[in-house]
Each structure stands twice: as structure tokens, then as C-alpha cells.
Amino acid sequence: MTADREAHLVELVDDGGYPVGQATVDAAHRAPGMLHRAFSVLLADPDGRVLLQRRAAVKTRFPLRWGNACCGHPAPGQPVTEAANARLGEELGVAPLPLTELGVHVYRAEDPVTGRVEVEYDHVLLGHVDADHPMSPDPAEVAELRWVPLDEARAGIGARPDDYAPWLVGVLEKLNLDSQQAL
């Protein structure tokens, strides 16, 4: 994440997801952290695989760990799907897609490397694309991409949790039986 993104505003929320204020990305992620609205996008292909992104080394939180296709924060008052599609374009070069919200994952995680803290009210969104869909990942955001069967992603997290972003377990849990059939 570039330094200018750290100055963007995020929407602070209460435990029910209701807005209570705003802060910069930087301030919201400094210890002890502030609960704020975020999103995590899962992209699935017709074979039921999910796209995993290895976060760039310059990320301020959990660099070089595998996560979902993209993550971000809507600006205060911005619709989550609008913000998510903007980030898909910025991070992966993917044009806007229909996205379905699977639910919310609330979590707190401390990055032992950077000392930053995630305290997020995370809207989990699902989109569908073909595995050969053209993408142009931004190297300042993305170190690597790979399509992985859902079971393999879950097994990888279980075997080597420190290789993955801490929110990925909760994000993948939102793929319940109904949404898995939609994969």
C-alpha cells in the first residue's frame, strides 16, 4: 500500500456495523486499532477454484502473505461493492464485476513484522471470472497470483498458517454450502 493510501479515510463502525466516525487508514491500523469497515473480495472460476493473491513486500500489513483476490476499505458512506470494484481495477486490472455479499467477518489481527493492527468489520464479497480472464496486477500491491481449489486453500492455511493473511480463514468460512454451489 502506498503512503498516499494511508491518508485515505475509512469509516469507523460499532460492533453492529453502524457508522460512528472516520479516521485515516494509517490511524485506524495503529495499535490498539479502531474497528472500521473493510471488504474482502473472493474471485471464483467455473471450476470452483478461488484466486489467491500473495501480498506485495511493500504492504504495511501482512506483506508477502497469501490472501484473497483483493481487500480494501470503502470511504465513509461509499457503497462496499463500488469500493471493491475500484480496488479490483487498481490491484488486478479487472473491470467492474457483479459481486455478491456473503456476509461479514469481524476480526482483529496484529502483524508481528510491521506492528500494525487490523480491527475490521469485513464485508466478504464473491465474484466470478474465468481463470484466463486478463489481469494486470499492480506490483506495488501484488507479488503473485494463483488459482487454487477451495479445499487446497483451506488445507494450506491449516498446514502453514503464517504463510496466509490472518483474515483468510474467516473470509473462506463465508463460503457456506449455498455459495460453494455457486462457485
Side-chain angles (χ1 to χ4, degrees), residues 7-28:
H8 288 188
L9 293 177
V10 296
E11 186 172 66
L12 303 178
V13 296
D14 64 16
D15 291 340
Y18 296 100
V20 296
Q22 58 188 30
T24 64
V25 169
D26 178 59

Side-chain angles (χ1 to χ4, degrees), residues 37-40 74 77-85 99 101 123-125:
R37 191 172 310 283
F39 59 82
S40 291
Q78 182 182 30
V80 174
T81 55
E82 177 185 301
N85 265 307
L99 298 172
E101 185 164 342
H123 297 264
V124 179
L125 305 168

Side-chain angles (χ1 to χ4, degrees), residues 48-50 148-155 172 175 180 183:
R49 298 179 301 172
V50 292
V148 180
L150 189 55
D151 291 345
E152 184 180 314
R154 288 180 171 141
L172 293 178
L175 285 173
Q180 281 186 40
L183 289 179

Side-chain angles (χ1 to χ4, degrees), residues 42-51 102 125-130 147-151 154 172 174-183:
L42 289 166
L43 291 181
D45 76 359
D47 295 327
R49 298 179 301 172
V50 292
L51 182 66
L102 302 179
L125 305 168
L126 175 64
H128 294 88
V129 295
D130 290 331
W147 288 97
V148 180
L150 189 55
D151 291 345
R154 288 180 171 141
L172 293 178
K174 293 300 174 191
L175 285 173
N176 59 32
L177 287 176
D178 291 337
S179 60
Q180 281 186 40
Q181 290 171 355
L183 289 179

Side-chain angles (χ1 to χ4, degrees), residues 68-132:
N68 46 283
C70 86
C71 295
H73 306 94
Q78 182 182 30
V80 174
T81 55
E82 177 185 301
N85 265 307
R87 286 302 288 156
L88 281 170
E90 294 164 3
E91 287 192 30
L92 301 177
V94 173
L97 299 169
L99 298 172
T100 302
E101 185 164 342
L102 302 179
V104 173
H105 167 57
V106 179
Y107 71 94
R108 183 179 195 286
E110 295 182 36
D111 186 337
V113 175
T114 67
R116 297 305 199 94
V117 179
E118 298 265 357
V119 185
E120 301 202 336
Y121 190 91
D122 190 24
H123 297 264
V124 179
L125 305 168
L126 175 64
H128 294 88
V129 295
D130 290 331
D132 61 357

